[in-house]
Amino acid sequence: MSNASSPVTTSPQPDVQKASRVCLNCKRKKKKCDKALPSCSRCVESYQFCQHEDDIVAGNPVTAGYLYGGVSSPLGNPVQLHRQSPLAWGGNLRPSLVASIRSADNINLYALQCVIDILDSRQGVEQTVLAFFEGPNASWFSIIDRSNFERLREDFWTSPSAETCVLILCMSLISRPTISSPGPTPMGDTVYLSAKTLLSLVQSQSSRPMSTSFLQAELLVAMYEYTQALPQQAYLSVGRCFQMSRALGWQDKSYWGPNNMATIPKILKLHSILWWAMVYIDNHLHAAYQESKFPLHAPTLGLEFEIPQPETFGQFAPTPSQLQIQSVGAAYCDGNSHHIDGMVFPEATSAFNLNTALSPLMLSERHEELSDAVWQHTLDVFQTPWSTGDRSGAMSTNLIAMLKLNQSGLLAGSAGTDPRFTGPAENIRKAIAYLHNEAANLPSFQERLARGRVAPFWAFAAYYASLLLISHGETELEMAADWLQKVIDLKNMLHICAGRWKIAERYVYLLDQQLGVRLGTYVG
């Protein structure tokens, strides 16, 4: 039966109160605001705190200062706050950081409030997590067990954890295209400043200020600082990680003994990954910023044993013949890497390789042996099927190690004074050929870079290779016909990298200088 003629009944709609001005969030984001009270619809949808200028100017409690817009929050009841989060604000009426902390109900709500404000919305938080796990964590900085993190996130919106909030904010540092992000401020990247501030604040309130989560957050901060040409800050951040590892007992040989191997192998595996991630960043800082003359952290610890690499705990060692170690049906060697059992970190071996190449105690008699070992690991990683296409962190680290190991031999060979160095020019040519192949395929490189799947160490590798081409391309490297074109191609790759990492901008500038001197066109 048709009901076209039936009267339509509607419930009376209550009058909606309106504010006299747009809310501060919509004003900051330059979005249309419906001015609804106690919270505009945009703030409700984005899980933001809705506040109006009139309230601050009059000194009133926040008229619309309810978590999630004054509606029933995930915590059960509306939570009235008298301040918004202070950490990512760009307006002139923001209360001070001290006042904001003083008025916060608890550190967990405060941290959640800050993260939502900084990452713009709940959707922004979810996108950040996804970008991190499908980009850096999947391809060159695998330091967080995704399955365990997802378990923590199940209750995140109903029972927020300050530690998890900090970790998410630090994930965003290396998963977002930093330089192209809008809204730079006189003090620099507000997300970075906010992450550092919130990390320190949450640690000061935590009963476990030296937990694994905080160490992971510090590592993410250190990696960001490396990419943004902040070597001193990165050195301090890595140093805190090493000190934390000491307090956690990792620098004690018994911690890695048979008893723990038998009882907590998964925990040991994650801690091994984190240890070698520290060594990884530490050595890259030393290699890329040699003018700073920072001593490597790891050798100063005086360890009388070598902390086991992750494959000791069942991690897949990247050689094609060992593919069957993965679970049945896995298409890639890292097909199960979202669980700690299947997490892979070939960068641990690469970090060891680079550490060896940088060591002043490296015996010249082992030069050829070490070069062969580095190149074999490079080939193993290259020939292994990865879900993201490659492991750019391991590859770029190995290539830098190859260049470092063979540069002195190249110089000795040019003088004809040291017959012990055999084939350094050939080894350098192999490394340059791989780097140039990436530079010759810029569309693919740019697409992977945009997805966060290119390690920042490519920038230094390309710069280092370019310097060797400028100084030795026509002579020892026997590339007289095309050394200049290779440098130009590598420089183009650096320009693309500069869209994401400030360190690449630095190398473009330095490379222009060196090339200008070589060609006689540089004017100081």
Side-chain angles (χ1 to χ4, degrees):
M1 179 183 297
S2 171
N3 60 359
S5 60
S6 301
V8 178
T9 60
T10 59
S11 301
Q13 297 295 318
D15 293 335
V16 178
Q17 288 183 305
K18 296 281 187 177
S20 60
R21 306 185 190 183
V22 300
C23 79
L24 297 179
N25 286 325
C26 291
K27 180 179 179 180
R28 172 166 59 92
K29 299 174 186 177
K30 298 181 180 179
K31 300 289 187 180
K32 184 177 179 180
C33 180
D34 61 17
K35 304 179 185 178
L37 293 174
S39 179
C40 75
S41 59
R42 190 176 297 278
C43 286
V44 172
E45 292 171 1
S46 63
Y47 287 75
Q48 296 246 317
F49 297 83
C50 196
Q51 190 174 11
H52 298 269
E53 292 180 7
D54 293 342
D55 301 315
I56 298 178
V57 173
N60 298 327
V62 180
T63 304
Y66 289 95
L67 185 60
Y68 310 116
V71 299
S72 180
S73 77
L75 300 176
N77 298 308
V79 180
Q80 188 173 19
L81 297 175
H82 290 259
R83 296 287 188 269
Q84 287 186 295
S85 78
L87 298 181
W89 178 252
N92 296 322
L93 297 173
R94 171 68 85 202
S96 71
L97 174 61
V98 175
S100 179
I101 294 172
R102 185 183 296 124
S103 63
D105 284 352
N106 66 67
I107 189 62
N108 294 310
L109 286 176
Y110 182 86
L112 176 64
Q113 177 184 350
C114 292
V115 170
I116 291 175
D117 192 25
I118 294 162
L119 299 180
D120 195 48
S121 63
R122 176 173 178 167
Q123 183 181 13
V125 172
E126 301 288 354
Q127 289 174 345
T128 291
V129 172
L130 182 64
F132 175 77
F133 281 113
E134 293 191 352
N137 202 70
S139 54
W140 56 271
F141 203 45
S142 310
I143 65 168
I144 298 178
D145 175 0
R146 184 172 187 175
S147 62
N148 183 61
F149 183 84
E150 293 295 346
R151 284 194 295 272
L152 295 175
R153 205 157 61 97
E154 287 176 2
D155 300 324
F156 179 71
W157 298 106
T158 57
S159 180
S161 159
E163 279 191 40
T164 304
C165 291
V166 168
L167 197 53
I168 290 172
L169 195 54
C170 292
M171 287 178 186
S172 74
L173 293 176
I174 65 170
S175 63
R176 66 198 173 101
T178 312
I179 292 179
S180 60
S181 297
T185 69
M187 288 183 63
D189 181 2
T190 55
V191 178
Y192 164 63
L193 298 175
S194 301
K196 293 270 283 191
T197 303
L198 191 61
L199 173 57
S200 178
L201 179 61
V202 172
Q203 277 185 303
S204 71
Q205 291 287 299
S206 174
S207 60
R208 301 182 309 130
M210 291 185 289
S211 68
T212 299
S213 293
F214 285 131
L215 193 149
Q216 289 167 323
E218 287 275 16
L219 279 171
L220 293 168
V221 169
M223 181 63 78
Y224 169 86
E225 289 165 339
Y226 169 90
T227 67
Q228 299 307 307
L230 299 169
Q232 296 185 49
Q233 290 86 339
Y235 188 75
L236 292 173
S237 295
V238 174
R240 284 191 290 272
C241 292
F242 277 105
Q243 289 301 317
M244 202 180 299
S245 74
R246 181 180 182 181
L248 293 170
W250 300 2
Q251 297 176 29
D252 186 339
K253 188 174 182 179
S254 63
Y255 183 77
W256 308 93
N259 185 53
N260 282 350
M261 285 276 196
T263 56
I264 53 169
K266 294 181 180 180
I267 293 175
L268 287 185
K269 180 178 179 180
L270 179 60
H271 293 174
S272 171
I273 289 173
L274 296 178
W275 171 266
W276 286 102
M278 288 187 278
V279 176
Y280 183 48
I281 300 176
D282 192 28
N283 281 272
H284 276 292
L285 270 172
H286 188 78
Y289 295 99
Q290 287 195 343
E291 70 281 3
S292 299
K293 299 181 180 178
F294 297 134
L296 289 167
H297 283 288
T300 65
L301 301 175
L303 297 184
E304 297 179 353
F305 70 102
E306 184 176 297
I307 289 180
Q309 293 206 357
E311 58 263 27
T312 305
F313 309 95
Q315 179 189 350
F316 172 72
T319 58
S321 62
Q322 293 178 306
L323 186 59
Q324 66 272 18
I325 291 178
Q326 292 302 294
S327 64
V328 177
Y332 303 101
C333 69
D334 57 345
N336 299 317
S337 61
H338 53 290
H339 294 290
I340 185 62
D341 291 336
M343 279 183 71
V344 295
F345 196 61
E347 289 76 14
T349 300
S350 300
F352 174 83
N353 291 337
L354 183 56
N355 183 258
T356 303
L358 295 175
S359 173
L361 301 178
M362 186 193 73
L363 298 177
S364 59
E365 289 80 0
R366 296 186 58 210
H367 176 274
E368 188 170 352
E369 173 192 343
L370 292 169
S371 292
D372 289 345
V374 173
W375 190 247
Q376 185 58 54
H377 184 250
T378 305
L379 292 177
D380 289 342
V381 174
F382 176 74
Q383 294 169 1
T384 297
W386 303 101
S387 60
T388 56
D390 65 6
R391 291 292 298 204
S392 68
M395 293 298 293
S396 54
T397 304
N398 280 344
L399 294 173
I400 293 169
M402 279 290 287
L403 297 175
K404 285 285 183 185
L405 281 168
N406 289 278
Q407 182 179 5
S408 59
L410 187 67
L411 295 171
S414 67
T417 59
D418 198 337
R420 291 176 298 173
F421 291 94
T422 59
E426 178 58 28
N427 288 334
I428 289 176
R429 280 195 293 269
K430 288 190 296 187
I432 289 176
Y434 188 92
L435 284 161
H436 184 256
N437 184 63
E438 289 289 326
N441 191 13
L442 288 183
S444 172
F445 183 86
Q446 195 164 11
E447 186 271 335
R448 289 185 289 120
L449 181 70
R451 299 178 68 183
R453 292 183 173 180
V454 176
F457 314 123
W458 278 106
F460 179 68
Y463 171 67
Y464 191 9
S466 298
L467 293 184
L468 292 175
L469 283 167
I470 290 171
S471 59
H472 300 284
E474 282 189 310
T475 53
E476 290 81 17
L477 293 177
E478 300 176 355
M479 297 180 180
D482 61 351
W483 73 267
L484 180 57
Q485 185 58 52
K486 281 183 167 60
V487 171
I488 292 172
D489 293 341
L490 290 170
K491 181 182 171 184
N492 289 336
M493 184 167 70
L494 279 172
H495 271 296
I496 291 176
C497 292
R500 194 173 187 102
W501 310 311
K502 194 170 183 178
I503 191 175
E505 285 185 349
R506 174 177 182 264
Y507 292 140
V508 169
Y509 171 76
L510 294 174
L511 185 55
D512 277 338
Q513 286 187 332
Q514 295 295 323
L515 191 57
V517 170
R518 175 67 177 81
L519 300 177
T521 59
Y522 175 70
V523 178

